[in-house]
């Protein structure tokens, strides 16, 4: 491979890196309120429409019983384990399965084929890019 091709690839990667380090404008204010926010999860026609949090390794499950403002909360808020990266193609997001249908309680509806067929898209945006 010629040096020219390698340097061109590096330039493309640097441009991509700069784009990825810019927080999407729709999440800027929330991120300023709590820098533990790493993304947003949403499923149309459900109540699943939440910020997703992540903390340091010393307390990976902090948000299991805390809300966005870090106050105690029985329902907690969705979070990603501290050992994971949201840049991965596969991200495991944890949350409670509440009996009242809040948090991830509505995921039980996926047992019904009709619900599944009408809700195949789960949107998980990172702070830096919109995803599905």
């Amino acid at each position: 491979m010629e040096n020219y091709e390698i340097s061109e690839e590096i330039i493309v990667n640097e441009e991509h890196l700069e784009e990825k380090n810019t927080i999407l404008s729709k999440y800027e204010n929330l991120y300023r309120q709590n820098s533990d926010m790493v993304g947003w999860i949403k499923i149309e026609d459900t109540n699943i429409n939440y910020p997703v949090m992540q903390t340091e390794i010393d307390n990976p499950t902090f948000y299991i019983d805390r809300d966005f403002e870090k106050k105690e909360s029985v329902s907690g808020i969705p979070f990603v384990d501290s050992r994971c990266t949201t840049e991965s193609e596969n991200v495991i997001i944890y949350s409670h399965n509440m009996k009242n249908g809040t948090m991830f309680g509505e995921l039980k509806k996926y047992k019904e084929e009709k619900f599944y067929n009408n809700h195949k898209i789960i949107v998980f945006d990172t702070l830096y890019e919109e995803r599905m």
Side-chain angles (χ1 to χ4, degrees), residues 74-126:
V74 174
S75 58
I77 195 165
F79 65 94
V80 176
D81 188 281
S82 60
R83 296 167 291 184
C84 297
T85 174
T86 57
E87 301 305 316
S88 172
E89 289 184 25
N90 298 302
V91 179
I92 298 173
I93 301 172
Y94 298 91
S95 188
H96 288 290
N97 175 6
M98 303 296 286
K99 289 181 182 179
N100 67 4
T102 59
M103 305 319 294
F104 283 179
E106 284 194 295
L107 291 179
K108 291 178 270 190
K109 293 180 179 179
Y110 277 98
K111 292 178 182 178
E112 301 168 23
E113 187 175 357
K114 183 178 179 182
F115 183 86
Y116 165 76
N117 287 329
N118 292 324
H119 299 88
K120 290 183 178 181
I121 297 176
I122 298 174
V123 175
F124 174 62
D125 292 346
T126 68

Side-chain angles (χ1 to χ4, degrees), residues 53-65:
M53 314 304 282
Q54 187 176 38
T55 57
E56 299 299 321
I57 291 174
D58 62 331
N59 198 357
T61 60
F62 179 81
Y63 285 101
I64 200 163
D65 58 2

Side-chain angles (χ1 to χ4, degrees), residues 18-43:
E18 286 176 20
E19 289 174 14
K20 291 190 97 100
N21 288 332
T22 303
I23 294 176
L24 296 171
S25 60
K26 64 183 177 180
Y27 300 126
E28 284 179 0
N29 287 333
L30 286 170
Y31 182 77
R32 283 187 192 117
Q33 292 173 40
N34 187 337
S35 61
D36 288 343
M37 183 180 161
V38 293
W40 194 277
I41 187 166
K42 181 178 178 148
I43 303 173

Side-chain angles (χ1 to χ4, degrees), residues 10-21:
I10 291 170
I11 291 168
V12 170
N13 286 340
E14 286 175 3
E15 288 173 3
H16 184 67
L17 182 62
E18 286 176 20
E19 289 174 14
K20 291 190 97 100
N21 288 332

